[in-house]
Amino acid sequence: MKRKNIFILPLLLTITLFSCEKEIIIDVEANRPKLVINGFVAADSIIEITIGASKTVLDVDTADFVWIDDAIATLYVDNEEKEQLSIYPIKPIDNINYEYYGLPQPTVGYRSTLTKGEVGRTYKLVVTHPRFETATCETTIPVPQKIISISKSTEFLDYSTYSYVRLNLYLTFEDDVDANNYYRITPKIRRGEWKTDSEEDTTGYIIVGEGFDALSSDDPILNPSKTDVNDFLINSPYNRYLIFTDELLSGNTCEVRLHQNFNAYVLRNNQINSKPGEFYSYTIYLNTLSQEAFLYVQSSYMQLWYRDDYFAEPVQVYSNIKNGVGIFAGYSSSQITISDGEYPVDGVEYRYN
């Protein structure tokens, strides 16, 4: 009996292995490369887009991204043909690491020479190329909402292992109750911080830095509390890009709270600026987005957040390109600046990053 079992076991394994084979049929026609169109249309700005080619399922990890420099992109404004976008070379931007974000670095773009974005107008693109299906897309630039005011407060927060100063910003703006509005807040900061090269140097100098900074918010309008089963494995996604809708806003006048934490040791005496020449200024942009712009920003961040979570369903990034992929979306902006400290100050040495 034992000898018979020795021969039966390989036979069962062979049958099992063959029974697990499955023929996978890939629809090659459905996975043919398509035009990839990306661009945002802003009020008072020229229209710029990039055009590339998507990859097939078999090439996604091996083939390089292809930028297309011989397409014809025709621009329509309110259904009236205006111009063909001009082709221009794109120079690399030094402070953007495309490889770090897993993005292909664009080499060529298309832009308007006769047309600038205008609030309330609808812009349509028709892109043709002999190797691809004709792709179309359109968007409307929404009406910007008015910023009424911005105010600030500071608070000192002390924990067992660290302490910091929190700068709170309160942005008040108008919201049109008769429209479905979509928003994004973009902060740009310019800061001067006192530095010294040695303990003996009591004069020091001011390091000036500038860029689009990251503000946070615990305002329920921007970060409503929610519970998800994935919270037990990874944290819930936070509103990194500060996007929100007017669903939770009540009335014409609205306020949202933003904050940023500063290291209390660096700031000395728990003050934002305590040395001559130290300063900061925040320029807050309230971007009113088209619906497609909002859905694209929201879905692209969610896709990045959940891409390494094996327990979450894949997130499909929103696209409004017919017969293609990508995004073509409009937005408008209002802005306001709040600052503390003087700049420049006579007799102070400034050094710039």
Side-chain angles (χ1 to χ4, degrees), residues 34-39 47-53 68-76 83-85 87 110 124-138 320-325 327-328:
K34 298 181 179 180
L35 290 172
V36 180
I37 302 170
N38 286 303
I47 298 168
E48 295 182 310
I49 64 169
T50 58
I51 303 176
I68 294 176
D69 59 4
D70 57 349
I72 297 176
T74 306
L75 176 67
Y76 295 77
E83 62 175 307
Q84 288 186 5
L85 302 188
I87 303 173
Y110 297 71
K124 178 181 178 180
L125 281 177
V126 177
V127 181
T128 60
H129 191 278
R131 299 201 313 271
F132 303 91
E133 282 188 276
T134 298
T136 60
C137 50
E138 69 176 35
N320 68 332
I321 312 298
K322 185 178 180 179
N323 294 330
V325 293
I327 187 67
F328 182 66

